[in-house]
Amino acid sequence: MINIKDKEIKELLNEMTIDEKIGQMVQVAGDIFLEDDINVSTGPLKNLELSEEKLYNVGSILNVIGAERVKKIQDKYLSKNRLKIPLLFMDDIINGYKIAFPIPIAQGCSWNLEVLRNIAKISAMESNIAGANVNFSPMVDLSRDARWGRVMESVGGEDPYLGKVYAKATVKAYQGEDISRLGNIASCVKHIAAYGAVEAGRDYNTVDMSEREFRQYYLPAYKEAIENGAEMLMTSFNILNGVPATVNKWLIQDLLRKELKFKGVIISDYGAIEETIAHGFSKNEEYAALNAIKAGVDIDMMSKIYANYLKKWCLEDKEIENKVNESVLRILNLKNKLGLFENPYSNADVEKEKRYIMNKTNLEKAKKLTQETFVLLKNKDNVLPLNNNSKIALIGPYADNIAITGSWSMFSDKTKNSTILDVVKNKVGNENVLYSKGTEILRCEEINKILKVENMQTISIDNEPLKEKEAIEKAKEVAEKSDIIILLLGEHYKQSGEACSRSNIGLPENQVNLINELYKLNKKMVMVLFNGRPIQLNNVENKLDAILEVWFPGTTGAEAITEVLFGDVNPSGKLTMSFPQNVGQCPIYYNHYSTGRPHNSDFKYLSRYQDIETESFYPFGYGLSYCKFIYSNLQISKSKMRKDESILVGVDVENKSQYEGYEIIEMYIQDLYASVVRPVKELKGFQKVFFKPFEKKKIEFEINSEMLKFWNNDLKYVVESGEFKVFIGSSSKDTLEEKFEFID
Ligand code: GLC
């Protein structure tokens, strides 16, 4: 697609009135333009009371999609926009458009960049032909606290290295070489910055950390996305060291614009400019506008601040008008790169939509990609995989449930989702499958707390305690007739995602009661867990023979799970967030500092808890397979390394099983002492390797001095001479290790 020349863009800018310029800097939800009721609200719904004139000057639309709908809005808008500057359509295609893929935390557990690339490419194509120009994805906020509902969106989990490699892979897959071409969409990376560090895991809460900590852990993924061409960034709701990120001049001007040379468009999160008043930073709406434009936010998402209060500052201060011109130029350049001036519909195409969306090939691909996101947490006595001729009892609220696509799958077509019950019956025959719901996901009191704040109809069950007991009794009768019980339990999808912080991360009491009662039958029990965050399992794990973590697996979840349960596919995923013993450990993460009293014995005066284990319940990087992988013979090419040298480190990995399957081999480094304390382990590389039955392979990693660098207290990114350890293993906890020395 040939874009109009930069000169023409500048001429266009010069033709624009100040009202038209400011209009480009406003983003509204698309319902304003629509007769039909399709609109998804992703924040506090509010009427921005924009005049008709202002409305037909806005620059972009939020979360309206569908080729016909997009074309209709674009036509209506352009018929009234004086200079015929096309609207931009931006959407939350968080884990797919019509095909819902696994939620991002699950995708990260694949430890396979091809999985993320393929998911991004299919999502981009489906949404691009449906009219999307920009995707508010990937979310690469480092996430260490399971109480925070948005850990479900974090592809990299608690690790900066994973966050980096995933950010690069996803941005490049969304954008391709030319964002105007069919199937490519501009990536808006979020949320800048350090939103995952909200205090106490409470959404929108305070973030306060040293710049060194920020640069060491939270910045790498954002930086990698920028260096790989992300077209947009979204500022976060939180304050960062006392100043709301959305009006944080150090963050936007000094770091993003000057240091990282980001030239793309910066959009606020939903209403975040207006919220700087509630933060106690902006005195009022007028000053919210001034603070945001001075910080350098180009687009005001879903607030009336720029629309109603920016003009006054432009008329008073040439400097502010220049900033407005710079913002509008960035927005027009993005529209130009997307080819909108030649074709305001971009790649929206009703016919292509009909042919391509949710096609069989992509659904089959989706199932395979989904299977790589599952994590086998327990498999005592190899109770899995199941054999086809056992009598299976499917028990639990997720057995016959299609709501398995997560809270950001608002565009997906859930009617296409199968249930586990149907798929298993299809596989092994109705006569081999027994079913009982056993219990609800949540009791009325719990689900109603959630429905009420969403102004949704609440639920009531007469005599709920009795009904609950009866349902468990019925489940026991059904399970009694089976050879093995498959429990399908977990969180409600509305318990995970934005504004879904929880102070309790365990299974609800009704589900725990069901497990305890079924346990009395003394039968093998497998739990398939649906959830959007690490869940406390230390109160049920000992009653379960196997646990398969499937997160919210998306459209093909039922088929994907069934094939893994029966061994058609070998699970290979590994955790990207530590599972805590219980919520008291949050935040917990593997790459922690040692402390002066590391917990390495049962002595009292150590950094430990009196009442629970100090270690996580399941560590970062952990996940089992039907194979049995044995690591041995860690070897290092030399014990001393100088600046421009590297070291080869190798290990033998043997698959001591009759199954074929993938193993994720992880390589970590520890800097034993330095001018600032360094984590006990840091992931520096991984390989996902296929093994045939009984196959043994030598796996090698290269260590170079770049991997040893860190941010010191002078905020320099340095490597210091000293002793290091290298670890290679199947998780952050199970490793072989060797020492080496770096000499500067
Ligand atoms: C929401 C979310 C953000 C999303 C945006 C648009 O509040 O914080 O992740 O992309 O608004 O829906």
Side-chain angles (χ1 to χ4, degrees), residues 42 62-63 92 136 150 190-191 234 237 269-270 301 408 498:
T42 56
L62 161 69
N63 279 336
D92 288 297
F136 293 134
R150 303 199 75 166
K190 63 192 188 183
H191 305 79
M234 182 188 295
F237 290 116
D269 203 339
Y270 196 111
M301 181 198 293
W408 278 104
E498 185 176 353

Side-chain angles (χ1 to χ4, degrees), residues 699-716:
I699 308 295
E700 288 194 321
F701 292 91
E702 183 179 328
I703 301 170
N704 58 46
S705 55
E706 191 58 30
M707 294 177 177
L708 312 184
K709 287 186 174 178
F710 63 94
W711 288 93
N712 70 12
N713 261 343
D714 300 328
L715 291 182
K716 299 279 182 279

